[in-house]
Amino acid sequence: MSNNEPLLAVISLKTTRIRVVARILCCLLIAYAGYAQKPVGRFLTDSVELGRPFDYALSYYHSPSAEVFFPDTTYNFYPFEMVRRNYFTTVTNNNRSLDSVVYTLVTFDISKTQKFSLPVYLLGKRDCTAVFADLDSIYLKEMIKGSTDSLMLKTDTPLLPLQQQVNYIKILGYILSIISVLAILYALFGRWLEKQYRLFLFGRKHKEFVNSYKKIARSTLDSNNIAKALVMWKEHLEWLEKRPYTSYTSKEIINRLPSESLEESLRDVDTAIYGGILSTQMPVAMNVLLDKAVELYRKRREELANNS
């Protein structure tokens, strides 16, 4: 045996092993090609308009035992966007199953020819295998004929005046809503609001009397001003107690409102009005009358607040 014979034997053995592995791989590829045929994907129209939905159908024949998945909303449909998808029930015939999906797509790409292909995923022991359909083309319709380079935009276009329309239904809805809110507020707080409003009016009228009375009291105290102040004071008491104080004499007022200080003040007032004699205590007498009116007002306001 020559020195080269062992080397030739090793090379022959390796060559034989490579041929066996190559044959096995060829058999596997042939078997896989017969099993995993390509899906069929077609546009259901030849041309589309920009922003107008259109359909793309994807179908796939496979073994009934195979697990097949179609692209869902997580798939990137570029250059299109998926609007919705419609699955069809699996049809099995002659030991073959057919699954189909129709995708409704939309495009905003301005390319005249747009090509597209979707895969079908086959579930294996370790992962999924994507099998793509052949590319199919769709054409974008040209809505503007001719070259757009010669088109000129108007820089100043007059606005077209539109006639204003009154939305009566909306206005009626607002009115009903406001009425409903007011009705609820009145049901919850109506009596309290009415009482507060009456007390507000009651207090404002008394405040007007006090201001007018003090204005006269600060002026020159002659018989005429003192008479005006007395009439104003009686009218105010008449309004407070709902009694005819304007027709009462000083004696009748004292019988109704017994008070030593009030009796002295009314005596000074009568002397000034009917006798023309002004006492040095006239400013004090005027303040006593005002204090009595304020006292009766507070008493009457408390009654209204408790009884309303």
Side-chain angles (χ1 to χ4, degrees), residues 175-216:
I175 293 174
L176 293 177
S177 299
I178 294 173
I179 293 175
S180 300
V181 172
L182 292 177
I184 294 174
L185 292 176
Y186 183 78
L188 296 175
F189 309 105
R191 291 185 178 180
W192 182 85
L193 291 174
E194 287 180 0
K195 182 175 70 174
Q196 296 302 316
Y197 181 68
R198 287 197 299 268
L199 292 175
F200 167 75
L201 295 179
F202 189 75
R204 187 175 67 176
K205 186 173 179 63
H206 175 72
K207 186 176 181 180
E208 291 175 354
F209 158 75
V210 172
N211 292 334
S212 300
Y213 186 88
K214 286 184 176 180
K215 184 177 181 181
I216 296 175

Side-chain angles (χ1 to χ4, degrees), residues 179 224 245 265:
I179 293 175
N224 290 331
Y245 278 93
S265 298

Side-chain angles (χ1 to χ4, degrees), residues 10-20:
V10 172
I11 294 173
S12 176
L13 179 61
K14 289 184 178 181
T15 303
T16 302
R17 289 180 179 178
I18 292 173
R19 289 177 179 175
V20 172

